[in-house]
Structures are given as structure tokens and as C-alpha cells.
Amino acid sequence: MKTRFLFSTLLATTALLSAAASAHTPDGTVTPNFSHSITNIPGKSLVAVEVAYPPGGASLPHSHAKSAFIYAYVVSGAIESQVDNQPARIYTAGQAFYEEPGAHHRISRNASKSEPAKLLAVFVVDTGDTPLTTPQK
């Protein structure tokens, strides 16, 4: 039974990391950082991805998995972000923001045309809820 649970957790983790890595960033890269089920909250997982933008790089407007609560921490540079109908805001290294489940991420881009920027996005999500990011049409 324990082996089956571990195997199921491994499959779910692999699926979540694959979904996170496929996030739509035409001018940046998304690198899986961490994924693990939250053992004291059955059915929930923690997934972290690193999003790196070159100077002037941006993601298309997108939404995330309906169950996803997201904490985003700017590691370096400056990131301009707009979630739902909130005003666009620029976050610099060391600052953070969050997205509620079901939020529409209208703007996510490097605020600089000359320096790269990087953020760490941490998802608390239903295990197996994929894709984690869906570009808006």
C-alpha cells in the first residue's frame, strides 16, 4: 500500500512539473524548481517554478489552474504584473505578490529593456490539477 502511494505521488509530481514547465512564456524560460505533495493536506501539492525573462521579455496573458493559489517572489530585476482588474505594478528583487485561484494574469513581464529579471512562482494546487498555466486567446 505504501509503495502504491509513493508511486502515485511520484506520477502526480511528474505531471505537475511537466505542466509547470510548459507555461507559455514566448520571451522567457520556465524551469521546474520543486514539487511535492503536502502530506498534512491530502490532495494538495506545492509546486515551484523559476520564470526568467530576458530584457523586455514577457508572458502572454494567462490564467492558472482553478485550484492554484500562487505566491510569486522576485529573485532579481524588476517584474511588472497585473492580476485581474488591479492596477499594474512593478515589483523589484525581494518583493512578492500573490494570485488567488481563478485569477487572470493580464501582465507578466520584465520591466527593464536592458537587464534580465527572474521570479519564483510557488503554487499550492490540487494534486494532478493540470495544466498549471493556460494562455488566454
Side-chain angles (χ1 to χ4, degrees):
M1 182 69 167
K2 192 172 191 176
T3 303
R4 180 190 289 162
F5 174 76
L6 289 173
F7 184 69
S8 296
T9 300
L10 178 62
L11 284 176
T13 298
T14 302
L16 286 170
L17 283 174
S18 295
S22 67
H24 197 71
T25 55
D27 291 326
T29 58
V30 177
T31 305
N33 181 282
F34 177 85
S35 179
H36 197 277
S37 61
I38 304 173
T39 55
N40 63 334
I41 308 175
K44 292 289 187 181
S45 291
L46 187 68
V47 178
V49 298
E50 184 179 279
V51 181
Y53 292 115
S59 297
L60 294 175
H62 58 275
S63 59
H64 295 288
K66 296 228 182 279
S67 68
F69 177 88
I70 301 157
Y71 168 80
Y73 177 82
V74 180
V75 176
S76 62
I79 302 286
E80 183 175 11
S81 179
Q82 181 184 19
V83 178
D84 288 330
N85 292 322
Q86 299 297 318
R89 186 167 165 204
I90 295 175
Y91 299 89
T92 58
Q95 294 183 313
F97 60 94
Y98 67 91
E99 295 180 44
E100 296 282 353
H104 181 206
H105 202 161
R106 298 176 185 280
I107 298 172
S108 182
R109 65 178 163 228
N110 186 340
S112 173
K113 301 282 188 212
S114 61
E115 299 294 324
K118 186 183 302 184
L119 68 85
L120 180 69
V122 180
F123 294 70
V124 176
V125 64
D126 289 349
T127 302
D129 195 355
T130 58
L132 290 183
T133 303
T134 304
Q136 299 298 299
K137 297 176 179 155

